[in-house]
Amino acid sequence: MNFPQTRLRRLRQNKILRELVSEKKVDIKDLIYPIFVCEGNNVKKEIKSMPDQYTMSIDQAIIKCEEAFALGIKSFLIFPVSDIKDETGICAVSKNNIQQKAIKKLKNEFNEILIIADLCNCAYTNHGHCGTLVDGDVDNDLTVKNLCNQAISLVESGADIIAPSDMMDGRIKEIRKKLDSQGYVNIPILSYSAKYSSAFYGPFREASESAPKKGDRSTYQLNYCNYREAIREGKQDVYEGADMIMVKPALSYLDIITKFRQNFNLPIVAFNVSGEYSMVKAMSKLNWGDEINLIMEIITSIKRAGADIIITYHAIEVAKQIINENQ
Ligand code: PBG
Ligand code: ZN
């Protein structure tokens, strides 16, 4: 059928009709809110490069989670800002670390909360790399060993899901084996499968004080020119036993999200990272765009590309907007 019989504007005439034929909507239950925890009491320090996001001591993190909870957000990704660091990152396994303590407290405070623990060494190494350095590069197998022990420590502290973000080879297999050997057969692994070496992590590294002092992460994170390699990473992680797989960042990688959706039948998670968040905040600060409209367009595009679940610092704003729209 051609014009004038076919008129696509017919279905766009009014809001009710537009909403009726709308194909994709973000649900509050799809959202995971990332938070940064640090030692201390009553600490709520705004992250300079991430307006409205804070590094919080546990008491303040609880208040933040309450705010999110009231809006229907029940899943949180916990990142540590650690004072304790060493050469190898082996200190990451201690139950006295801020991440472990925060997880324990949050699990005690809320009965229904879902806690996802980011699993990596970079907050714990004094050089900022995601694992143990040997001859100037991160040693894969040594790091995997350390990660396995760190995973157990996090699960024993109450983590519901383990999310390895290090990009070492074979870590999913080894972590699964380790969890199972300790009886944690029901703890899912959310793998950062296609984690690209990205300039969009800048604000996060300021927040978590985990920027590499020397070099970059390109010997372990993916090159942004490559998409076939991302599929190989995804396949490998599925084969090794991942329960969910992630694409990160999200916005410059919508094509990878779609590829994951087409190739894999497990839940696809997208990480709308710090730099993507800060870009919107900067635009809005300069009055160069309408903040909530920018946010909803971005989050919906990630969903439309094929993500089931979205990790975003905008979670609270998105939830408020969804609630407003439904009133
Ligand atoms: C650390 C880690 C990073 C992020 C999550 N876990 C940064 C990195 O690889 O340097 C990025 C999160 C963000 O930018 O929001 N392994
Ligand atoms: Zn790391």
Side-chain angles (χ1 to χ4, degrees), residues 156-167:
E156 285 177 348
S157 303
D160 298 296
I161 297 179
I162 291 294
S165 67
D166 51 284
M167 288 300 281

Side-chain angles (χ1 to χ4, degrees), residues 27-35 64-78 106-107 110 112-117 160-161 190 244 269 308-316 319:
D27 199 300
I28 295 173
K29 293 190 176 66
D30 302 333
L31 304 172
I32 297 173
Y33 187 46
I35 56 176
K64 202 28 126 192
C65 289
E66 267 164 8
E67 182 190 348
F69 241 80
L71 298 165
I73 299 164
K74 296 181 177 173
S75 302
F76 301 87
L77 177 61
I78 311 295
L106 286 169
K107 285 295 288 183
F110 305 91
E112 271 202 303
I113 200 166
L114 188 86
I115 296 283
I116 303 155
D160 298 296
I161 297 179
L190 160 54
M244 302 186 250
V269 182
D308 301 297
I309 300 162
I310 303 170
I311 303 172
T312 179
Y313 303 97
H314 292 300
I316 287 184

Side-chain angles (χ1 to χ4, degrees), residues 25-194:
K25 286 202 181 100
V26 178
D27 199 300
I28 295 173
K29 293 190 176 66
D30 302 333
L31 304 172
I32 297 173
Y33 187 46
I35 56 176
F36 298 94
V37 289
C38 66
E39 295 286 353
N41 232 311
N42 209 15
V43 181
K44 190 178 176 194
K45 198 174 116 210
E46 189 168 31
I47 300 160
K48 258 203 223 118
S49 53
M50 299 178 75
D52 306 326
Q53 299 304 314
Y54 302 86
T55 298
M56 292 166 285
S57 51
I58 295 175
D59 55 310
Q60 289 296 319
I62 290 173
I63 296 171
K64 202 28 126 192
C65 289
E66 267 164 8
E67 182 190 348
F69 241 80
L71 298 165
I73 299 164
K74 296 181 177 173
S75 302
F76 301 87
L77 177 61
I78 311 295
F79 288 113
V81 180
S82 178
D83 299 332
I84 299 159
K85 296 178 195 269
D86 63 25
E87 184 61 29
T88 59
I90 201 149
C91 61
V93 306
S94 166
K95 292 262 182 55
N96 283 324
N97 285 332
I98 184 62
Q99 190 181 18
Q100 281 87 338
K101 286 191 292 190
I103 289 170
K104 196 166 181 190
K105 275 265 172 63
L106 286 169
K107 285 295 288 183
N108 268 335
E109 198 70 26
F110 305 91
N111 342 331
E112 271 202 303
I113 200 166
L114 188 86
I115 296 283
I116 303 155
D118 183 86
L119 173 62
C120 201
N121 288 172
C122 52
Y124 300 100
T125 52
N126 51 24
H127 43 74
H129 277 286
C130 295
T132 305
L133 290 182
V134 174
D135 297 332
D137 193 13
V138 174
D139 185 90
N140 195 86
D141 302 10
L142 277 179
T143 302
V144 170
K145 254 190 209 132
N146 200 21
L147 289 168
C148 287
N149 295 327
Q150 190 182 354
I152 295 298
S153 166
L154 291 164
V155 170
E156 285 177 348
S157 303
D160 298 296
I161 297 179
I162 291 294
S165 67
D166 51 284
M167 288 300 281
M168 295 303 117
D169 286 318
R171 86 256 211 234
I172 302 303
K173 179 179 177 190
E174 294 302 321
I175 292 166
R176 181 74 272 158
K177 228 168 50 188
K178 183 82 175 190
L179 288 172
D180 289 359
S181 75
Q182 307 277 311
Y184 298 116
V185 296
N186 285 324
I187 297 288
I189 298 175
L190 160 54
S191 177
Y192 284 68
S193 294

